[in-house]
Amino acid sequence: MSEHRRKPPQPQGGGRAAARRGQSASPGRRAAPRGATGSPSAPYGAGGEERPYGGRAEARRAARRNAGGRRRAADGAGRGRGAAPAKKRFIDYPRAGKYGAARWLPSWKLVAGLFIGFIGGLVAVAGVGYAMVSVPDVAKTAQSQNNVYYWADGSQMVATGGETNRQIINLSQIPPAMRWAVISQENKTFYTDSGIDPKGIARAVFNMATGGQTQGGSTITQQYVKNARLDDQSQTVSRKFKEIFIAIKVGATVKKDDILAGYLNSAYYGRNAYGIEAAAHAYFNKPALKLDPGECAFLAAMLKGATYYDPAGATSIDPKNATPQANTRRATLQMQDTLNKMVQYGHLGAAERAKYTTLPQVQNPRSNTRLSGQIGYLVDLANSYLVTHSDTTHITQEKLQQGGYQIYTTFEKKKVDELEAAVKNVQKANIKPDLHPKTDKFVQFGGASVDPGTGAIKAIYGGEDATKHFTNNADSTGAQVGSTFKPFVLAAAMKWGVRNPDLGPEQAQDERTVVSPKSLYSGRNKLKIKEYNGAVWKNEKGQEWLQTNDGNESVGDPPDYKIDLREAMQFSVNSAYVQLGMDVGLDKVKQTALDAGILEGSLASSNYPSFSIGTSSPSAIRMAGAYATFAASGKQNDPYSVDKVSSKDGVVFQHTKQAKDAFTPKVADNVTDVLKTVVDKGTGTAAKLPGRDVAGKTGTTDGNKSAWFVGYTPQLSTAISMFRMDDNESNKNRTFLEMYGTGGQKKIHGASFPAEIWHDYMEQALKGQPAKSFPTPEPIGTVVNDTPSPSVTPTPSQSVTQSPTPSAKPSPSLTAPSPSPSDTCGFWGNSPCNGNGGGNGNGGTGPGGTDAGGTGGVTTSPTESTGNGNTRGNGNGGIFAGPNG
């Protein structure tokens, strides 16, 4: 057969139909790229037979590859049109054959695969976690050990903390009202939920992972699991996940009633009570089964955190926010809310609920006889220091409750005993409540002694007995300090200086004159107080301030009654120091007190002139510590009560000294020199210690509701307070009472019983120690207001306004000082003392003493003021406070 008649060979793929399609499509179609032919060795575009495609779709894909090949031809040799297709990958990312943004967008197959893999991994992890955890045993919860406390000399003080009063009881022994109170308040879906709260878990894990505030479980089941794992109280994400698995397993394998009983038997209710039975005895001295619905709702509130809900308060832990008043208010609101929810959810009848509108009567929180006397106050003080400084001690409230620590305190047993003896001797000899109940009942004392060189608290007097009187009077009481605040005004005048009266407010802040103790100020009674620039000070209502002196007397020679600052301190002249504070600036006076070591939370408002004469209420510990700053020539050490803590793992905390430069030695030593005059021949002569240098200041507040003496030697600084307050736990108001006639005296001054106690204690505490002298002060500052010269002898009052009650007390004398001259903030209720009579605001129209201090004192008439504040102060003077003091 001739060559041109020979039948062409059949194509390798697609059959005749495909061949026909290929032939019909050949006109106008380009040759297939090399990669699409059946002869991969043939050069691109060479003659000869080419393998047709298997279909149109394949042809289109080949065309796209061909176009891509041309675009990539310039990428380099060996990557031209004849390059082989890329090898398929298990995970096609970035996507082959895609360019631009499409190359980085994952395919739906990849997304689906990853999602399935992730879910599968979670299921596997959850399965392993679920299998590895076990259901907790409530009988093993709350197994705490004793903490052992030691005196400063290393001898044992007391072992306590492990006497947890806990007894597991059956659900049948827990009153239904208690069960429904907790369910209504904590987890209303308890009997129907799975035991976990996904939203709460996510929130808690996120907070912990980001360093935020940790949170407990959201359901009763989760809280029970948390309580049952006291062996691991670390706040970590891994622990939280482990608790989730345990909660899931508990929810799936344990009966709801058993979970509820386990939670109520393991929860912490405060007062060292774990479980509902212990709580019933701790608060009401009865078994749990006898609790009424009101008591049950109250105990449910304690689960929120007894530190802030126990009506007894916890001022040693948080003196600003955990006062008895604040806790009582919170507990009442929480209790009432719980009762309302019980009615709302059908667990309590409205008629029964109406019986419980006030807090039930609770008993004294201390029942451990080992904590009687001063020991309980000392233990509380040590514990509060560790917990409030947990960022450095690494000891939380939970860890402290578990126990196992050896706590070495700064307290010296000899000094503690001597301070207690000094108080009791004066109290026994003078205070007779049975004979004089109207004047001598409810008299209380507080005291603290601090080492100026280190800040170590050597002794405190917290009250009669820690098991009977549970407010620590050495720590936070709310008693105003009166004229013992004046040294901070003098220190501010010597540190910052007075402002230039000829300059505006901003310029005057920078241009100041450091003040000498020889500077002259008016001792006039009912002095019209002025701004630094001479303008008469007025409050927001336009009322002027007329500052009174004790006994309504002017001090100094008429007509201007000028007296130097040393004499004004010596005889506690209010008008001179109130005006000095205005010239310096009350903001600087406040800063000076803070620099000395007073906590900001215990300071009254500095918006009123009376701030300079002691409307604030620091604790005895903080006052002793602040005066210790002067004794240490300006070096400030925060008072502390724990030197070292150890456990089975070794030393877990060691105190390190961190002194601050609060004042220059020139400023501090001049303040000390002025305060020496007070003791040598002023209001504080009762505190003299023969053969020793003593510096100090008396203080008495308006309304005669508190009296102080704070003084120091080079080795020891001590503060003594005295006040009357009915702070029995049944008394919700806890008001300060007047001390006129107390102890047979017409009026209680800081120069009387407080100075006497200070003297008796310090005489014994320093026995055997060498007498040391204060540094000789360098001259300081400029004598301001140097005309005319001060009088040698203060004269009786020749006030512009006649006193409505002329004083029968003789005027103080430089050569023969009165043994107990008064140094009150003022005479009438209109005098500027906040809180306990008078106040620091709003004059005659003010409401009078509130928690923050009363009002009154700004008035043009001694009869207008209603500011006779008589409620307890703000109670923010505790030694160990948070960021705010």
Side-chain angles (χ1 to χ4, degrees), residues 1 26 57 114 226 245 276 298 405 477 482 495 512 545 557 604 632 673 676 732 743 766 781 784 830 842 848 850 862:
M1 185 179 293
S26 60
L114 291 175
K226 179 179 182 295
F245 292 136
I276 182 61
F298 170 85
Y405 293 111
T477 62
K495 177 178 180 177
R512 291 171 171 269
W545 192 285
D557 284 335
D673 193 57
K676 276 185 64 180
K732 305 303 181 184
L766 296 172
V784 300
N830 72 314
N842 300 348
T850 65

Side-chain angles (χ1 to χ4, degrees), residues 419-440:
L419 181 54
E420 183 176 29
V423 172
K424 288 188 174 181
N425 288 341
V426 168
Q427 195 169 25
K428 184 178 180 179
N430 300 281
I431 310 301
K432 304 182 185 301
D434 294 335
L435 296 177
H436 310 289
K438 291 185 178 180
T439 58
D440 288 12

Side-chain angles (χ1 to χ4, degrees), residues 278-629:
H281 284 282
Y283 288 94
F284 304 113
N285 195 28
K286 64 170 68 173
L289 191 58
K290 293 186 178 181
L291 296 172
D292 62 41
E295 293 166 338
C296 291
F298 170 85
L299 290 178
M302 295 305 103
L303 294 174
K304 304 289 289 184
T307 296
Y308 297 101
Y309 288 88
D310 187 342
T315 52
S316 61
I317 295 177
D318 189 345
K320 181 177 181 181
N321 299 306
T323 62
Q325 298 94 326
N327 282 15
T328 298
R329 183 173 60 253
R330 277 188 290 265
T332 302
L333 292 174
Q334 186 71 11
M335 171 189 166
Q336 296 304 310
D337 181 65
T338 298
L339 290 169
N340 290 339
K341 286 180 178 177
M342 292 173 70
V343 174
Q344 179 183 349
Y345 302 143
H347 306 312
L348 183 67
E352 180 70 9
R353 185 262 177 273
K355 298 178 182 178
Y356 311 105
T357 57
T358 61
L359 282 183
Q361 182 67 46
V362 298
Q363 65 178 358
N364 189 306
R366 288 193 179 93
S367 58
N368 184 354
T369 55
R370 284 176 287 177
L371 299 178
S372 62
Q374 300 303 303
I375 299 299
Y377 302 125
L378 299 174
V379 168
D380 282 353
L381 206 57
N383 289 346
S384 66
Y385 179 81
L386 295 175
V387 172
T388 56
H389 291 77
S390 59
D391 54 336
T392 55
T393 65
H394 307 294
I395 298 175
T396 62
Q397 186 72 35
E398 291 80 6
K399 290 181 178 179
L400 195 62
Q401 289 163 5
Q402 293 174 53
Y405 293 111
Q406 293 83 50
I407 300 169
Y408 296 85
T409 72
T410 62
F411 309 127
E412 295 185 13
K413 187 177 188 306
K414 179 176 177 289
K415 287 184 171 63
V416 170
D417 291 343
E418 288 165 346
L419 181 54
E420 183 176 29
V423 172
K424 288 188 174 181
N425 288 341
V426 168
Q427 195 169 25
K428 184 178 180 179
N430 300 281
I431 310 301
K432 304 182 185 301
D434 294 335
L435 296 177
H436 310 289
K438 291 185 178 180
T439 58
D440 288 12
K441 199 173 180 181
F442 308 124
V443 173
Q444 298 186 32
F445 296 91
S449 204
V450 172
D451 182 347
T454 63
I457 303 172
K458 295 300 182 181
I460 65 166
Y461 179 80
E464 177 187 0
D465 188 320
T467 62
K468 300 175 182 178
H469 170 81
F470 50 84
T471 298
N472 186 347
N473 291 345
D475 199 7
S476 175
T477 62
Q480 294 178 351
V481 296
S483 291
T484 58
F485 201 80
K486 288 174 182 173
F488 304 128
V489 184
L490 179 61
M494 293 192 291
K495 177 178 180 177
W496 301 97
V498 296
R499 292 170 285 184
N500 187 331
D502 299 325
L503 300 178
E506 293 184 3
Q507 291 177 302
Q509 288 286 0
D510 299 325
E511 188 170 327
R512 291 171 171 269
T513 301
V514 172
V515 171
S516 164
K518 297 179 181 179
S519 298
L520 304 178
Y521 273 82
S522 176
R524 182 191 298 275
N525 180 58
K526 290 193 289 186
L527 178 69
K528 186 176 292 187
I529 299 302
K530 299 179 181 180
E531 301 279 6
Y532 78 94
N533 59 8
V536 175
W537 187 91
K538 295 181 180 180
N539 69 358
E540 64 275 9
K541 296 184 177 180
Q543 296 168 314
E544 297 178 350
W545 192 285
L546 300 178
Q547 180 58 53
T548 59
N549 290 327
D550 176 53
N552 201 35
E553 293 180 346
S554 294
V555 181
D557 284 335
D560 48 13
Y561 299 98
K562 287 291 183 70
I563 186 173
D564 71 31
L565 294 177
R566 181 183 296 273
E567 294 170 335
M569 185 74 76
Q570 180 180 349
F571 298 109
S572 202
V573 181
N574 290 336
S575 55
Y577 273 91
V578 169
Q579 187 59 60
L580 177 63
M582 297 299 289
D583 292 350
V584 175
L586 297 182
D587 59 331
K588 299 301 184 186
V589 174
K590 176 181 179 180
Q591 187 59 53
T592 300
L594 294 174
D595 292 342
I598 299 298
L599 296 176
E600 185 167 12
S602 67
L603 293 176
S605 171
S606 59
N607 294 328
Y608 300 92
S610 62
F611 179 74
S612 294
I613 51 175
T615 57
S616 300
S617 53
S619 68
I621 292 173
R622 281 290 168 175
M623 286 300 289
Y627 273 48
T629 303

Side-chain angles (χ1 to χ4, degrees), residues 538-873:
K538 295 181 180 180
N539 69 358
E540 64 275 9
K541 296 184 177 180
Q543 296 168 314
E544 297 178 350
W545 192 285
L546 300 178
Q547 180 58 53
T548 59
N549 290 327
D550 176 53
N552 201 35
E553 293 180 346
S554 294
V555 181
D557 284 335
D560 48 13
Y561 299 98
K562 287 291 183 70
I563 186 173
D564 71 31
L565 294 177
R566 181 183 296 273
E567 294 170 335
M569 185 74 76
Q570 180 180 349
F571 298 109
S572 202
V573 181
N574 290 336
S575 55
Y577 273 91
V578 169
Q579 187 59 60
L580 177 63
M582 297 299 289
D583 292 350
V584 175
L586 297 182
D587 59 331
K588 299 301 184 186
V589 174
K590 176 181 179 180
Q591 187 59 53
T592 300
L594 294 174
D595 292 342
I598 299 298
L599 296 176
E600 185 167 12
S602 67
L603 293 176
S605 171
S606 59
N607 294 328
Y608 300 92
S610 62
F611 179 74
S612 294
I613 51 175
T615 57
S616 300
S617 53
S619 68
I621 292 173
R622 281 290 168 175
M623 286 300 289
Y627 273 48
T629 303
F630 299 131
S633 293
K635 296 288 185 181
Q636 190 268 329
N637 295 280
D638 272 344
Y640 71 100
S641 56
V642 178
D643 268 322
K644 183 179 70 172
V645 180
S646 60
S647 69
K648 61 182 178 59
D649 300 320
V651 176
V652 298
F653 167 71
Q654 179 73 60
H655 179 269
T656 56
K657 181 180 176 181
Q658 295 179 329
K660 305 172 186 175
D661 292 322
F663 311 112
T664 64
K666 182 184 290 188
V667 170
D669 294 344
N670 271 279
V671 171
T672 294
D673 193 57
V674 171
L675 294 182
K676 276 185 64 180
T677 307
V678 175
V679 176
D680 289 342
K681 50 186 178 180
T683 61
T685 55
K688 280 185 178 181
L689 295 174
R692 293 187 183 274
D693 276 1
V694 177
K697 183 71 186 78
T698 54
T700 308
T701 57
D702 186 70
N704 205 208
K705 295 189 176 75
S706 62
W708 290 72
F709 185 83
V710 187
Y712 54 93
T713 67
Q715 299 108 313
L716 202 60
S717 176
T718 300
I720 303 295
S721 66
M722 177 181 177
F723 53 91
R724 287 183 68 213
M725 177 192 286
D726 180 8
D727 63 352
N728 183 280
E729 59 265 27
S730 63
N731 183 359
K732 305 303 181 184
N733 294 324
R734 304 188 180 195
T735 57
F736 284 97
L737 306 173
E738 294 179 344
M739 293 190 292
Y740 297 111
T742 296
Q745 299 199 6
K746 182 178 180 180
K747 187 176 183 180
I748 296 296
H749 304 93
S752 56
F753 298 141
E756 184 179 346
I757 292 170
W758 188 96
H759 169 272
D760 293 350
Y761 160 69
M762 291 289 282
E763 188 175 50
Q764 295 300 314
L766 296 172
K767 184 175 289 186
Q769 296 188 34
K772 293 185 178 181
S773 300
F774 291 121
T776 301
E778 298 180 24
I780 189 172
T782 301
V783 178
V784 300
N785 306 324
D786 194 18
T787 53
S789 299
S791 170
V792 175
T793 303
T795 62
S797 170
Q798 295 187 28
S799 172
V800 174
T801 303
Q802 181 65 34
S803 168
T805 309
S807 173
K809 182 179 68 68
S811 301
S813 168
L814 289 175
T815 56
S818 169
S820 60
S822 173
D823 52 355
T824 61
C825 294
F827 186 74
W828 301 305
N830 72 314
S831 66
C833 294
N834 77 342
N836 308 321
N840 65 350
N842 300 348
T845 60
T850 65
D851 281 351
T855 59
V858 186
T859 176
T860 56
S861 169
T863 61
E864 291 180 4
S865 175
T866 59
N868 62 346
N870 64 353
T871 67
R872 179 170 180 166

